[in-house]
Amino acid sequence: MSASSTGAPSTLLAAADAGRRTRVRLLIVAMLFAATTINYADRATISIAGPDMAKELGLSPVQMGYVFSAFAWSYVLAQIPGGWLLDRYSVKWVYAAAVALWSAFTLVQGAVGFFTGLTAVVLLFALRLAVGLTEAPVFPANARIVAAWFPTRERGMASAFFNSAQYFATVLFTPLMAWIVHTFGWHHVFTSMGLLGIAFAVLWLRVVDSPKNHPSMNQAERDYIEAGGALLDMDGQSRGRQGDAGRTLRQLLANRMLLGIYVGQYCITVLTYFFLTWFPVYLVKERGLSILQAGFAAVLPALCGFIGGILGGVISDLLLRRGFSLTAARKIPIVGGMLLSMSIIGCNYVQADAVVVGLMALAFFGKGIGALGWAVVADTSPRESGGLSGGLFNTFGNTAGITTPIAIGYIVQSTGSFNGALVFVGLNALVACFCYLVVVGEIRRVELKAH
């Protein structure tokens, strides 16, 4: 038989295999999207409940800033231990436990209303600390799961999709939570979101697994993603080994590219935490809207952030397919998006509420486009320490959750307006551009040294 005759059947067989290739990775990223939506909705409960809560408990703007920041204190401190847990134990089970626990702590916050005065404030602060502690492993796990399930050329879109859920959470849940506050009281926001999260944790265990083990995935899809650079194993290669976390951290922190990425993520996350904490209060206190009006006004910026987040991933992966380097394909959307997000400063110079909401929408559209940090983490993390690398990245990023609410609280209390706060947020976007343009350099996977 001739070479041509033997080649034709194999070509047809390859085409048939491709046609029968499963798409389980799309289900996996949909689960990441749902988990991240619930994650961010639970973070935002405090901002929706905030105005009524502050009135009932008698909190000043500075006190509100500290309550808003409580989540981030423990969230930041738990990032590296959470990343270590992911590298040492099953990502699937650590993730499910995290969702169940943070949802339980969210649910219990609904009982704070049974207390008064300082006791209520301390209890609320402690429960927000507990939510932050238990949410810590989730985003490093998301990056690890994307690296395991997606080839490089699809990774930007997959990461942008789950990350854009932070905006979708606002689109879906902010009006709903505002209605709950308006109709039933602020306590019920926490109980309803807690019950939803506990139910999702059960679903997660039934649906998610590693590519090498997933029963619904066929060999054709497994071969396809492996050939494209997917890691196949959600769990770190350092499982079962101890004593190397300190050496890994030192190597990661000594890498200029990673430091630029980390500081850039801090600046980008300033915008996120303004939106999650002070934005509804800004609309109520500065613009005179009711909490119900503020809930619906927040939908357009969130929707634009969601669209921008998806578009950023599409642009990045399209640039890769068009022959751009990985470095250019990641940096172009990040820098362009951050420059666009500086339009938030323009809110200081307009009076009409509709124009304010429009400028916020433009700013968060840009922020969405530029929110490719988790794709960069999937591109750069060492193969054996994806959880620890993601945890360190998220430590830097979410330090903004501590500093931003408190800084804005002091700015608002000392100046009597949000003008300086919006400038503060916009300037952080400019610093993020500097980090990616000047500090980061070439984006590539880090190789750890053995000794």
Side-chain angles (χ1 to χ4, degrees), residues 33-52:
F33 180 84
T36 307
T37 299
I38 295 171
N39 183 296
Y40 268 88
D42 284 349
R43 297 187 199 190
T45 51
I46 194 73
S47 67
I48 298 300
D52 282 9

mmCIF file of all heavy atoms in Angstrom, residues 33-52:
data_model
loop_
_atom_site.group_PDB
_atom_site.id
_atom_site.type_symbol
_atom_site.label_atom_id
_atom_site.label_comp_id
_atom_site.label_asym_id
_atom_site.label_seq_id
_atom_site.Cartn_x
_atom_site.Cartn_y
_atom_site.Cartn_z
ATOM 1 N N PHE A 33 -16.629 30.140 36.829
ATOM 2 C CA PHE A 33 -17.383 31.387 36.694
ATOM 3 C C PHE A 33 -18.466 31.476 37.773
ATOM 4 O O PHE A 33 -18.624 32.516 38.434
ATOM 5 C CB PHE A 33 -18.012 31.455 35.309
ATOM 6 C CG PHE A 33 -18.825 32.696 35.055
ATOM 7 C CD1 PHE A 33 -18.210 33.863 34.639
ATOM 8 C CD2 PHE A 33 -20.201 32.697 35.230
ATOM 9 C CE1 PHE A 33 -18.955 35.019 34.408
ATOM 10 C CE2 PHE A 33 -20.953 33.835 35.001
ATOM 11 C CZ PHE A 33 -20.326 34.998 34.585
ATOM 12 N N ALA A 34 -19.197 30.384 37.974
ATOM 13 C CA ALA A 34 -20.263 30.379 38.983
ATOM 14 C C ALA A 34 -19.683 30.554 40.386
ATOM 15 O O ALA A 34 -20.219 31.316 41.206
ATOM 16 C CB ALA A 34 -21.060 29.085 38.888
ATOM 17 N N ALA A 35 -18.581 29.836 40.675
ATOM 18 C CA ALA A 35 -17.957 29.944 41.995
ATOM 19 C C ALA A 35 -17.469 31.364 42.255
ATOM 20 O O ALA A 35 -17.625 31.906 43.358
ATOM 21 C CB ALA A 35 -16.796 28.962 42.102
ATOM 22 N N THR A 36 -16.868 31.992 41.232
ATOM 23 C CA THR A 36 -16.345 33.341 41.387
ATOM 24 C C THR A 36 -17.470 34.354 41.522
ATOM 25 O O THR A 36 -17.347 35.348 42.254
ATOM 26 C CB THR A 36 -15.434 33.698 40.200
ATOM 27 O OG1 THR A 36 -14.437 32.679 40.052
ATOM 28 C CG2 THR A 36 -14.752 35.033 40.406
ATOM 29 N N THR A 37 -18.583 34.119 40.838
ATOM 30 C CA THR A 37 -19.753 34.986 40.987
ATOM 31 C C THR A 37 -20.242 34.982 42.428
ATOM 32 O O THR A 37 -20.486 36.040 43.035
ATOM 33 C CB THR A 37 -20.882 34.532 40.053
ATOM 34 O OG1 THR A 37 -20.440 34.617 38.693
ATOM 35 C CG2 THR A 37 -22.115 35.403 40.217
ATOM 36 N N ILE A 38 -20.393 33.797 43.015
ATOM 37 C CA ILE A 38 -20.830 33.684 44.408
ATOM 38 C C ILE A 38 -19.786 34.299 45.339
ATOM 39 O O ILE A 38 -20.123 35.001 46.307
ATOM 40 C CB ILE A 38 -21.098 32.215 44.764
ATOM 41 C CG1 ILE A 38 -22.273 31.682 43.930
ATOM 42 C CG2 ILE A 38 -21.397 32.058 46.252
ATOM 43 C CD1 ILE A 38 -22.476 30.194 44.043
ATOM 44 N N ASN A 39 -18.509 34.069 45.030
ATOM 45 C CA ASN A 39 -17.412 34.607 45.821
ATOM 46 C C ASN A 39 -17.512 36.125 45.929
ATOM 47 O O ASN A 39 -17.479 36.701 47.031
ATOM 48 C CB ASN A 39 -16.094 34.178 45.162
ATOM 49 C CG ASN A 39 -14.856 34.613 45.907
ATOM 50 O OD1 ASN A 39 -14.601 35.796 46.040
ATOM 51 N ND2 ASN A 39 -14.075 33.651 46.364
ATOM 52 N N TYR A 40 -17.662 36.792 44.786
ATOM 53 C CA TYR A 40 -17.698 38.253 44.787
ATOM 54 C C TYR A 40 -19.022 38.792 45.315
ATOM 55 O O TYR A 40 -19.065 39.870 45.924
ATOM 56 C CB TYR A 40 -17.395 38.797 43.392
ATOM 57 C CG TYR A 40 -15.928 39.080 43.218
ATOM 58 C CD1 TYR A 40 -15.057 38.088 42.778
ATOM 59 C CD2 TYR A 40 -15.401 40.322 43.523
ATOM 60 C CE1 TYR A 40 -13.705 38.330 42.643
ATOM 61 C CE2 TYR A 40 -14.045 40.586 43.387
ATOM 62 C CZ TYR A 40 -13.207 39.586 42.947
ATOM 63 O OH TYR A 40 -11.866 39.834 42.825
ATOM 64 N N ALA A 41 -20.104 38.069 45.101
ATOM 65 C CA ALA A 41 -21.380 38.502 45.664
ATOM 66 C C ALA A 41 -21.309 38.495 47.184
ATOM 67 O O ALA A 41 -21.809 39.417 47.848
ATOM 68 C CB ALA A 41 -22.505 37.593 45.171
ATOM 69 N N ASP A 42 -20.653 37.481 47.756
ATOM 70 C CA ASP A 42 -20.519 37.427 49.215
ATOM 71 C C ASP A 42 -19.609 38.537 49.735
ATOM 72 O O ASP A 42 -19.821 39.059 50.837
ATOM 73 C CB ASP A 42 -19.976 36.061 49.635
ATOM 74 C CG ASP A 42 -21.037 34.973 49.572
ATOM 75 O OD1 ASP A 42 -22.219 35.319 49.397
ATOM 76 O OD2 ASP A 42 -20.691 33.788 49.664
ATOM 77 N N ARG A 43 -18.591 38.901 48.959
ATOM 78 C CA ARG A 43 -17.754 40.033 49.366
ATOM 79 C C ARG A 43 -18.560 41.330 49.361
ATOM 80 O O ARG A 43 -18.352 42.211 50.205
ATOM 81 C CB ARG A 43 -16.567 40.194 48.420
ATOM 82 C CG ARG A 43 -15.607 39.031 48.396
ATOM 83 C CD ARG A 43 -14.388 39.370 47.571
ATOM 84 N NE ARG A 43 -13.656 38.181 47.153
ATOM 85 C CZ ARG A 43 -12.459 38.201 46.589
ATOM 86 N NH1 ARG A 43 -11.845 39.359 46.385
ATOM 87 N NH2 ARG A 43 -11.864 37.078 46.227
ATOM 88 N N ALA A 44 -19.468 41.464 48.380
ATOM 89 C CA ALA A 44 -20.204 42.716 48.198
ATOM 90 C C ALA A 44 -21.398 42.856 49.128
ATOM 91 O O ALA A 44 -21.989 43.935 49.199
ATOM 92 C CB ALA A 44 -20.668 42.838 46.746
ATOM 93 N N THR A 45 -21.770 41.789 49.835
ATOM 94 C CA THR A 45 -22.913 41.898 50.741
ATOM 95 C C THR A 45 -22.753 43.057 51.717
ATOM 96 O O THR A 45 -23.717 43.768 52.015
ATOM 97 C CB THR A 45 -23.096 40.588 51.536
ATOM 98 O OG1 THR A 45 -21.840 40.217 52.128
ATOM 99 C CG2 THR A 45 -23.594 39.456 50.653
ATOM 100 N N ILE A 46 -21.534 43.264 52.192
ATOM 101 C CA ILE A 46 -21.293 44.288 53.204
ATOM 102 C C ILE A 46 -21.507 45.691 52.645
ATOM 103 O O ILE A 46 -21.951 46.596 53.356
ATOM 104 C CB ILE A 46 -19.863 44.147 53.793
ATOM 105 C CG1 ILE A 46 -19.704 44.965 55.078
ATOM 106 C CG2 ILE A 46 -18.806 44.522 52.771
ATOM 107 C CD1 ILE A 46 -20.422 44.373 56.252
ATOM 108 N N SER A 47 -21.212 45.895 51.339
ATOM 109 C CA SER A 47 -21.405 47.224 50.766
ATOM 110 C C SER A 47 -22.883 47.523 50.540
ATOM 111 O O SER A 47 -23.327 48.662 50.701
ATOM 112 C CB SER A 47 -20.631 47.364 49.445
ATOM 113 O OG SER A 47 -21.169 46.530 48.443
ATOM 114 N N ILE A 48 -23.659 46.506 50.172
ATOM 115 C CA ILE A 48 -25.092 46.711 49.969
ATOM 116 C C ILE A 48 -25.795 46.925 51.310
ATOM 117 O O ILE A 48 -26.674 47.776 51.453
ATOM 118 C CB ILE A 48 -25.712 45.511 49.225
ATOM 119 C CG1 ILE A 48 -25.073 45.362 47.842
ATOM 120 C CG2 ILE A 48 -27.223 45.671 49.105
ATOM 121 C CD1 ILE A 48 -25.241 46.564 46.947
ATOM 122 N N ALA A 49 -25.406 46.131 52.291
ATOM 123 C CA ALA A 49 -25.996 46.290 53.621
ATOM 124 C C ALA A 49 -25.446 47.518 54.346
ATOM 125 O O ALA A 49 -26.043 47.976 55.331
ATOM 126 C CB ALA A 49 -25.727 45.039 54.460
ATOM 127 N N GLY A 50 -24.312 48.060 53.852
ATOM 128 C CA GLY A 50 -23.563 49.098 54.558
ATOM 129 C C GLY A 50 -24.338 50.316 55.010
ATOM 130 O O GLY A 50 -24.277 50.677 56.197
ATOM 131 N N PRO A 51 -25.063 51.020 54.115
ATOM 132 C CA PRO A 51 -25.743 52.248 54.560
ATOM 133 C C PRO A 51 -26.745 52.005 55.687
ATOM 134 O O PRO A 51 -26.740 52.726 56.687
ATOM 135 C CB PRO A 51 -26.443 52.727 53.275
ATOM 136 C CG PRO A 51 -25.579 52.206 52.165
ATOM 137 C CD PRO A 51 -25.107 50.861 52.650
ATOM 138 N N ASP A 52 -27.600 50.987 55.558
ATOM 139 C CA ASP A 52 -28.568 50.696 56.617
ATOM 140 C C ASP A 52 -27.873 50.176 57.873
ATOM 141 O O ASP A 52 -28.272 50.491 59.006
ATOM 142 C CB ASP A 52 -29.590 49.665 56.131
ATOM 143 C CG ASP A 52 -30.640 50.273 55.223
ATOM 144 O OD1 ASP A 52 -30.465 51.452 54.844
ATOM 145 O OD2 ASP A 52 -31.611 49.580 54.888
#
